[in-house]
Every structure is written in C-alpha cells, then in structure tokens.
Short mmCIF file of all heavy atoms in Angstrom, two decimals:
data_model
loop_
_atom_site.label_atom_id
_atom_site.label_comp_id
_atom_site.label_asym_id
_atom_site.label_seq_id
_atom_site.Cartn_x
_atom_site.Cartn_y
_atom_site.Cartn_z
N MET A 4 241.82 139.73 128.28
CA MET A 4 241.18 140.62 129.06
C MET A 4 242.03 141.91 129.16
O MET A 4 241.48 143.07 129.15
CB MET A 4 241.05 140.11 130.56
CG MET A 4 240.02 139.06 130.66
SD MET A 4 239.71 138.28 132.29
CE MET A 4 241.06 137.14 132.27
N HIS A 5 243.41 141.80 129.25
CA HIS A 5 244.13 143.07 129.17
C HIS A 5 244.03 143.83 127.90
O HIS A 5 244.01 145.06 127.91
CB HIS A 5 245.63 142.66 129.45
CG HIS A 5 246.52 143.82 129.51
ND1 HIS A 5 247.36 144.26 128.52
CD2 HIS A 5 246.64 144.80 130.53
CE1 HIS A 5 247.88 145.31 128.93
NE2 HIS A 5 247.68 145.66 130.23
N TRP A 6 243.95 143.06 126.80
CA TRP A 6 243.88 143.70 125.54
C TRP A 6 242.57 144.50 125.48
O TRP A 6 242.46 145.67 125.02
CB TRP A 6 243.96 142.66 124.35
CG TRP A 6 243.87 143.23 123.03
CD1 TRP A 6 244.84 143.95 122.36
CD2 TRP A 6 242.67 143.23 122.24
NE1 TRP A 6 244.20 144.29 121.09
CE2 TRP A 6 243.01 143.81 121.07
CE3 TRP A 6 241.32 142.80 122.40
CZ2 TRP A 6 242.04 143.99 120.00
CZ3 TRP A 6 240.47 142.91 121.49
CH2 TRP A 6 240.78 143.53 120.28
N LEU A 7 241.33 143.91 126.03
CA LEU A 7 240.15 144.62 125.95
C LEU A 7 240.27 145.91 126.75
O LEU A 7 239.63 146.76 126.49
CB LEU A 7 239.04 143.69 126.42
CG LEU A 7 238.49 142.58 125.45
CD1 LEU A 7 237.58 141.65 126.17
CD2 LEU A 7 237.95 143.16 124.30
N ALA A 8 240.84 145.74 127.95
CA ALA A 8 241.07 146.88 128.87
C ALA A 8 241.69 148.10 128.11
O ALA A 8 241.24 149.12 128.16
CB ALA A 8 241.89 146.52 130.16
N MET A 9 242.77 147.73 127.46
CA MET A 9 243.53 148.77 126.66
C MET A 9 242.65 149.44 125.59
O MET A 9 242.67 150.54 125.33
CB MET A 9 244.86 148.22 126.14
CG MET A 9 245.78 147.89 127.16
SD MET A 9 246.26 149.23 128.28
CE MET A 9 245.30 148.74 129.74
N CYS A 10 241.99 148.54 124.83
CA CYS A 10 240.99 149.07 123.83
C CYS A 10 239.96 150.10 124.48
O CYS A 10 239.81 151.13 123.87
CB CYS A 10 240.16 148.03 123.19
SG CYS A 10 241.22 146.94 122.11
N HIS A 11 239.34 149.68 125.52
CA HIS A 11 238.46 150.56 126.14
C HIS A 11 239.09 151.80 126.78
O HIS A 11 238.50 152.90 126.65
CB HIS A 11 237.75 149.81 127.37
CG HIS A 11 236.62 148.96 126.87
ND1 HIS A 11 235.40 149.38 126.24
CD2 HIS A 11 236.48 147.63 126.71
CE1 HIS A 11 234.59 148.38 125.87
NE2 HIS A 11 235.44 147.26 126.16
N LEU A 12 240.22 151.76 127.40
CA LEU A 12 240.88 152.91 127.89
C LEU A 12 241.37 153.87 126.75
O LEU A 12 241.36 155.06 127.00
CB LEU A 12 242.06 152.45 128.83
CG LEU A 12 241.67 151.76 130.05
CD1 LEU A 12 242.85 151.17 130.72
CD2 LEU A 12 240.95 152.64 131.07
N ARG A 13 241.87 153.32 125.69
CA ARG A 13 242.32 154.22 124.58
C ARG A 13 241.29 154.56 123.62
O ARG A 13 241.56 155.43 122.71
CB ARG A 13 243.43 153.35 123.92
CG ARG A 13 244.57 153.09 124.72
CD ARG A 13 245.63 152.31 123.91
NE ARG A 13 246.84 152.05 124.77
CZ ARG A 13 247.66 151.00 124.53
NH1 ARG A 13 247.41 150.06 123.52
NH2 ARG A 13 248.71 150.83 125.25
N GLY A 14 240.14 153.92 123.61
CA GLY A 14 239.12 154.11 122.63
C GLY A 14 239.58 153.65 121.25
O GLY A 14 239.22 154.16 120.17
N GLU A 15 240.20 152.44 121.18
CA GLU A 15 240.49 151.76 120.04
C GLU A 15 239.58 150.72 119.55
O GLU A 15 239.58 149.70 120.34
CB GLU A 15 241.96 151.22 120.14
CG GLU A 15 243.13 152.30 120.33
CD GLU A 15 244.42 151.73 120.39
OE1 GLU A 15 244.61 150.50 120.46
OE2 GLU A 15 245.35 152.53 120.68
N GLY A 16 238.78 150.88 118.62
CA GLY A 16 237.93 149.89 118.19
C GLY A 16 236.59 149.99 118.98
O GLY A 16 235.60 149.32 118.64
N CYS A 17 236.45 150.97 119.87
CA CYS A 17 235.23 151.16 120.65
C CYS A 17 235.34 152.67 121.25
O CYS A 17 236.39 153.22 121.15
CB CYS A 17 235.05 150.09 121.79
SG CYS A 17 236.55 150.18 122.98
N GLU A 18 234.23 153.00 121.79
CA GLU A 18 234.32 154.28 122.42
C GLU A 18 235.14 154.18 123.74
O GLU A 18 234.98 153.17 124.45
CB GLU A 18 232.84 154.71 122.86
CG GLU A 18 232.70 156.14 123.35
CD GLU A 18 231.36 156.55 123.59
OE1 GLU A 18 230.43 156.10 122.87
OE2 GLU A 18 231.07 157.40 124.42
N ALA A 19 235.93 155.23 123.97
CA ALA A 19 236.77 155.20 125.15
C ALA A 19 235.83 155.15 126.51
O ALA A 19 234.91 155.89 126.51
CB ALA A 19 237.69 156.32 125.22
N SER A 20 236.19 154.32 127.39
CA SER A 20 235.36 154.27 128.62
C SER A 20 236.33 153.81 129.69
O SER A 20 236.75 152.69 129.83
CB SER A 20 234.33 153.13 128.41
OG SER A 20 233.59 152.91 129.59
N LEU A 21 236.55 154.82 130.63
CA LEU A 21 237.28 154.47 131.85
C LEU A 21 236.75 153.35 132.64
O LEU A 21 237.37 152.46 133.08
CB LEU A 21 237.61 155.72 132.67
CG LEU A 21 238.24 155.63 134.01
CD1 LEU A 21 239.68 155.08 133.77
CD2 LEU A 21 238.38 156.80 134.79
N PRO A 22 235.40 153.45 132.98
CA PRO A 22 234.76 152.42 133.85
C PRO A 22 234.98 150.95 133.15
O PRO A 22 235.31 149.92 133.92
CB PRO A 22 233.36 152.67 133.92
CG PRO A 22 233.25 154.23 133.71
CD PRO A 22 234.37 154.44 132.73
N GLN A 23 234.70 150.83 131.80
CA GLN A 23 234.77 149.54 131.22
C GLN A 23 236.23 149.09 131.19
O GLN A 23 236.56 147.97 131.39
CB GLN A 23 234.25 149.54 129.83
CG GLN A 23 232.65 149.50 129.63
CD GLN A 23 232.22 148.09 130.25
OE1 GLN A 23 231.98 147.99 131.41
NE2 GLN A 23 232.23 147.14 129.33
N GLY A 24 237.18 149.99 130.90
CA GLY A 24 238.55 149.63 130.86
C GLY A 24 239.02 149.23 132.23
O GLY A 24 239.83 148.24 132.27
N MET A 25 238.58 149.84 133.26
CA MET A 25 238.95 149.37 134.58
C MET A 25 238.44 148.06 134.97
O MET A 25 239.14 147.29 135.61
CB MET A 25 238.65 150.51 135.62
CG MET A 25 239.46 151.75 135.41
SD MET A 25 241.21 151.59 135.29
CE MET A 25 241.68 151.21 136.94
N VAL A 26 237.23 147.82 134.52
CA VAL A 26 236.63 146.42 134.80
C VAL A 26 237.52 145.39 134.21
O VAL A 26 237.89 144.34 134.88
CB VAL A 26 235.22 146.49 134.21
CG1 VAL A 26 234.74 145.06 134.12
CG2 VAL A 26 234.21 147.25 135.13
N TRP A 27 237.87 145.54 132.99
CA TRP A 27 238.72 144.55 132.14
C TRP A 27 240.05 144.52 132.82
O TRP A 27 240.64 143.49 132.92
CB TRP A 27 238.66 144.77 130.75
CG TRP A 27 237.40 144.40 130.12
CD1 TRP A 27 236.46 145.27 129.61
CD2 TRP A 27 236.96 143.09 130.04
NE1 TRP A 27 235.39 144.40 129.12
CE2 TRP A 27 235.61 143.14 129.36
CE3 TRP A 27 237.41 141.87 130.30
CZ2 TRP A 27 234.88 141.97 129.14
CZ3 TRP A 27 236.66 140.60 129.96
CH2 TRP A 27 235.40 140.77 129.40
N LEU A 28 240.65 145.69 133.14
CA LEU A 28 241.97 145.66 133.69
C LEU A 28 241.98 144.91 135.02
O LEU A 28 242.86 144.19 135.37
CB LEU A 28 242.40 147.04 133.88
CG LEU A 28 244.01 147.15 134.16
CD1 LEU A 28 244.76 146.65 133.10
CD2 LEU A 28 244.28 148.67 134.47
N ALA A 29 240.93 145.10 135.82
CA ALA A 29 240.86 144.47 137.22
C ALA A 29 240.70 142.91 136.98
O ALA A 29 241.29 142.03 137.61
CB ALA A 29 239.68 144.91 137.99
N LYS A 30 239.94 142.54 135.95
CA LYS A 30 239.74 141.07 135.69
C LYS A 30 241.08 140.47 135.24
O LYS A 30 241.36 139.30 135.66
CB LYS A 30 238.69 140.94 134.55
CG LYS A 30 237.27 141.15 135.10
CD LYS A 30 236.26 140.79 133.92
CE LYS A 30 234.82 141.04 134.41
NZ LYS A 30 233.90 140.66 133.39
N ALA A 31 241.75 141.13 134.31
CA ALA A 31 243.08 140.65 133.86
C ALA A 31 244.03 140.53 135.12
O ALA A 31 244.83 139.51 135.15
CB ALA A 31 243.69 141.54 132.86
N ALA A 32 244.11 141.57 135.93
CA ALA A 32 244.96 141.55 137.14
C ALA A 32 244.53 140.32 137.93
O ALA A 32 245.40 139.71 138.48
CB ALA A 32 244.83 142.88 137.81
N GLY A 33 243.21 140.14 138.19
CA GLY A 33 242.90 139.13 139.05
C GLY A 33 243.11 137.75 138.52
O GLY A 33 243.31 136.71 139.33
N ALA A 34 243.22 137.59 137.16
CA ALA A 34 243.55 136.39 136.52
C ALA A 34 245.16 136.07 136.55
O ALA A 34 245.61 135.11 135.92
CB ALA A 34 243.05 136.30 135.01
N GLY A 35 245.81 137.10 136.92
CA GLY A 35 247.29 136.91 137.12
C GLY A 35 248.15 137.51 136.08
O GLY A 35 249.25 137.39 135.99
N HIS A 36 247.54 138.39 135.23
CA HIS A 36 248.20 139.12 134.16
C HIS A 36 249.14 140.15 134.94
O HIS A 36 248.68 141.11 135.50
CB HIS A 36 247.25 139.80 133.21
CG HIS A 36 247.91 140.25 131.99
ND1 HIS A 36 248.66 141.54 132.05
CD2 HIS A 36 247.86 139.88 130.79
CE1 HIS A 36 249.00 141.66 130.78
NE2 HIS A 36 248.69 140.69 129.94
N ARG A 37 250.51 139.99 134.84
CA ARG A 37 251.49 140.77 135.57
C ARG A 37 251.47 142.21 135.11
O ARG A 37 251.58 143.15 135.91
CB ARG A 37 252.73 140.18 135.46
CG ARG A 37 252.90 138.86 136.20
CD ARG A 37 254.32 138.34 136.20
NE ARG A 37 254.40 136.93 136.71
CZ ARG A 37 254.59 136.66 138.01
NH1 ARG A 37 254.60 137.56 138.91
NH2 ARG A 37 254.62 135.45 138.37
N ILE A 38 251.26 142.47 133.79
CA ILE A 38 251.28 143.81 133.36
C ILE A 38 250.08 144.62 133.86
O ILE A 38 250.20 145.60 134.42
CB ILE A 38 251.38 144.00 131.77
CG1 ILE A 38 252.62 143.41 131.31
CG2 ILE A 38 251.12 145.38 131.30
CD1 ILE A 38 252.82 143.21 129.78
N ALA A 39 248.93 143.94 133.90
CA ALA A 39 247.67 144.53 134.36
C ALA A 39 247.79 144.79 135.92
O ALA A 39 247.47 145.82 136.34
CB ALA A 39 246.47 143.66 134.09
N GLN A 40 248.38 143.79 136.64
CA GLN A 40 248.64 144.11 138.05
C GLN A 40 249.53 145.26 138.25
O GLN A 40 249.26 146.13 139.19
CB GLN A 40 249.29 142.74 138.71
CG GLN A 40 248.42 141.60 138.69
CD GLN A 40 249.06 140.28 139.02
OE1 GLN A 40 250.33 140.23 138.99
NE2 GLN A 40 248.30 139.27 139.29
N SER A 41 250.56 145.35 137.52
CA SER A 41 251.55 146.47 137.75
C SER A 41 250.86 147.84 137.35
O SER A 41 250.99 148.87 137.99
CB SER A 41 252.61 146.31 136.78
OG SER A 41 253.55 147.44 136.86
N GLN A 42 250.00 147.78 136.31
CA GLN A 42 249.28 149.03 135.84
C GLN A 42 248.25 149.47 137.04
O GLN A 42 248.20 150.73 137.40
CB GLN A 42 248.56 148.88 134.63
CG GLN A 42 249.48 148.76 133.43
CD GLN A 42 248.79 148.38 132.16
OE1 GLN A 42 247.89 147.53 132.09
NE2 GLN A 42 249.29 149.00 130.94
N LEU A 43 247.45 148.47 137.49
CA LEU A 43 246.61 148.92 138.61
C LEU A 43 247.31 149.32 139.73
O LEU A 43 246.96 150.38 140.40
CB LEU A 43 245.76 147.64 139.00
CG LEU A 43 244.53 147.29 138.12
CD1 LEU A 43 243.93 146.04 138.72
CD2 LEU A 43 243.66 148.39 138.07
N GLU A 44 248.47 148.81 140.27
CA GLU A 44 249.19 149.19 141.36
C GLU A 44 249.71 150.65 141.09
O GLU A 44 249.70 151.55 141.87
CB GLU A 44 250.31 148.32 141.65
CG GLU A 44 251.13 148.59 142.90
CD GLU A 44 250.27 148.66 144.17
OE1 GLU A 44 249.28 147.96 144.23
OE2 GLU A 44 250.67 149.38 145.08
N GLY A 45 250.31 150.79 139.85
CA GLY A 45 250.77 152.18 139.52
C GLY A 45 249.76 153.22 139.54
O GLY A 45 249.99 154.32 140.10
N TRP A 46 248.52 152.92 139.20
CA TRP A 46 247.39 153.87 139.14
C TRP A 46 247.00 154.19 140.48
O TRP A 46 246.68 155.35 140.92
CB TRP A 46 246.35 153.37 138.29
CG TRP A 46 246.63 153.49 136.69
CD1 TRP A 46 247.86 153.89 136.16
CD2 TRP A 46 245.81 153.16 135.71
NE1 TRP A 46 247.85 153.81 134.88
CE2 TRP A 46 246.64 153.30 134.51
CE3 TRP A 46 244.47 152.67 135.61
CZ2 TRP A 46 246.13 153.11 133.24
CZ3 TRP A 46 244.04 152.31 134.27
CH2 TRP A 46 244.83 152.60 133.16
N ARG A 47 247.01 153.07 141.38
CA ARG A 47 246.58 153.39 142.85
C ARG A 47 247.67 154.37 143.45
O ARG A 47 247.28 155.23 144.21
CB ARG A 47 246.59 151.96 143.50
CG ARG A 47 245.41 151.25 143.28
CD ARG A 47 245.29 150.13 144.17
NE ARG A 47 244.41 149.07 143.58
CZ ARG A 47 244.67 147.93 143.16
NH1 ARG A 47 245.94 147.44 143.27
NH2 ARG A 47 243.75 147.17 142.68
N GLU A 48 249.02 154.08 143.15
CA GLU A 48 250.03 154.95 143.81
C GLU A 48 250.01 156.30 143.34
O GLU A 48 250.47 157.22 143.99
CB GLU A 48 251.34 154.28 143.57
CG GLU A 48 251.50 152.96 144.24
CD GLU A 48 252.82 152.39 143.84
OE1 GLU A 48 253.60 152.74 143.09
OE2 GLU A 48 253.10 151.15 144.46
N THR A 49 249.72 156.62 142.06
CA THR A 49 249.77 157.94 141.53
C THR A 49 248.40 158.72 141.38
O THR A 49 248.45 159.75 140.84
CB THR A 49 250.43 157.82 140.01
OG1 THR A 49 249.53 157.04 139.22
CG2 THR A 49 251.67 157.26 140.05
N GLY A 50 247.41 158.03 141.96
CA GLY A 50 246.15 158.91 142.06
C GLY A 50 245.09 158.53 141.04
O GLY A 50 244.18 159.34 140.83
N GLY A 51 245.11 157.37 140.51
CA GLY A 51 243.87 156.83 139.68
C GLY A 51 243.70 157.59 138.46
O GLY A 51 244.28 157.42 137.49
N LEU A 52 242.73 158.50 138.47
CA LEU A 52 242.17 159.14 137.35
C LEU A 52 243.34 160.03 136.79
O LEU A 52 243.43 160.07 135.58
CB LEU A 52 240.87 159.98 137.64
CG LEU A 52 240.30 160.71 136.48
CD1 LEU A 52 239.92 159.68 135.42
CD2 LEU A 52 238.98 161.41 137.01
N ALA A 53 244.02 160.69 137.61
CA ALA A 53 245.15 161.60 137.19
C ALA A 53 246.15 160.66 136.27
O ALA A 53 246.56 161.11 135.25
CB ALA A 53 245.77 162.30 138.29
N ALA A 54 246.38 159.50 136.78
CA ALA A 54 247.36 158.60 136.16
C ALA A 54 246.68 158.16 134.81
O ALA A 54 247.35 158.13 133.84
CB ALA A 54 247.73 157.38 137.03
N TYR A 55 245.41 157.91 134.74
CA TYR A 55 244.73 157.51 133.44
C TYR A 55 244.82 158.61 132.54
O TYR A 55 245.22 158.29 131.33
CB TYR A 55 243.29 157.07 133.81
CG TYR A 55 242.54 157.04 132.51
CD1 TYR A 55 242.69 156.05 131.65
CD2 TYR A 55 241.63 157.95 132.21
CE1 TYR A 55 242.02 155.98 130.40
CE2 TYR A 55 240.87 157.97 131.05
CZ TYR A 55 241.04 156.99 130.18
OH TYR A 55 240.45 156.91 129.05
N THR A 56 244.51 159.71 132.97
CA THR A 56 244.57 160.92 132.00
C THR A 56 245.94 161.12 131.48
O THR A 56 246.17 161.29 130.24
CB THR A 56 244.12 162.23 132.67
OG1 THR A 56 242.78 161.95 133.33
CG2 THR A 56 244.08 163.37 131.87
N GLN A 57 246.90 161.00 132.21
CA GLN A 57 248.44 161.14 131.77
C GLN A 57 248.74 160.07 130.76
O GLN A 57 249.25 160.13 129.65
CB GLN A 57 249.37 161.12 132.87
CG GLN A 57 250.80 161.39 132.55
CD GLN A 57 251.75 161.31 133.66
OE1 GLN A 57 251.33 161.11 134.77
NE2 GLN A 57 253.02 161.51 133.36
N TYR A 58 248.31 158.70 131.24
CA TYR A 58 248.53 157.59 130.31
C TYR A 58 247.93 157.74 128.89
O TYR A 58 248.41 157.64 127.89
CB TYR A 58 247.98 156.30 131.11
CG TYR A 58 248.01 155.14 130.12
CD1 TYR A 58 249.15 154.38 129.80
CD2 TYR A 58 246.81 154.75 129.54
CE1 TYR A 58 249.04 153.22 129.02
CE2 TYR A 58 246.72 153.61 128.74
CZ TYR A 58 247.92 152.89 128.48
OH TYR A 58 247.89 151.76 127.67
N ARG A 59 246.60 158.14 129.05
CA ARG A 59 245.83 158.29 127.75
C ARG A 59 246.42 159.43 126.75
O ARG A 59 246.58 159.22 125.63
CB ARG A 59 244.43 158.72 128.10
CG ARG A 59 243.47 158.87 126.85
CD ARG A 59 242.14 159.57 127.12
NE ARG A 59 242.48 160.88 127.71
CZ ARG A 59 241.70 161.56 128.46
NH1 ARG A 59 240.63 161.02 129.08
NH2 ARG A 59 242.11 162.81 129.01
N ASP A 60 246.93 160.46 127.47
CA ASP A 60 247.58 161.56 126.65
C ASP A 60 248.89 161.27 126.10
O ASP A 60 249.20 161.89 125.24
CB ASP A 60 247.54 162.88 127.62
CG ASP A 60 246.14 163.44 127.89
OD1 ASP A 60 245.13 163.07 127.31
OD2 ASP A 60 246.06 164.26 128.82
N ASN A 61 249.42 160.32 126.65
CA ASN A 61 250.87 159.88 126.14
C ASN A 61 250.75 158.74 125.30
O ASN A 61 251.87 158.30 124.89
CB ASN A 61 251.85 159.61 127.38
CG ASN A 61 252.07 160.87 128.17
OD1 ASN A 61 252.19 162.06 127.54
ND2 ASN A 61 252.21 160.80 129.55
N THR A 62 249.73 158.14 124.89
CA THR A 62 249.63 157.06 124.10
C THR A 62 249.13 157.39 122.70
O THR A 62 248.55 158.41 122.48
CB THR A 62 248.77 155.93 124.69
OG1 THR A 62 247.47 156.39 124.79
CG2 THR A 62 249.38 155.36 125.84
#
C-alpha cells in the first residue's frame, strides 16, 4: 500500500495523483506501516499540500 502511495504521489508508473496517493498512504498507515504513519503525521504538522509539493519537488 505504501509503495502504491509513493507511485501515485510521484507519478511513477502512473499519472501523479495527490488524492489517490493520500488514499493509499492512509490505508498503509491504518494497516500499521510506520513510515506511512510518520509521513502522514509530518504532512499534518507542516501543512499538508505544501509539504507534498516540497516532497515531490525534492524527489
């Protein structure tokens, strides 16, 4: 689930989609994936979309 989230967020192998990426990231976090949990928490703390934009531009 986390891998699918990253593919959607980065546009790797599919069209980049913030909504789809966040759906898969939330599912991964809900299933106990610690990295996904940390990413969601970090995005909440830093302003969500702004954090995504910064993340996308730095990958």
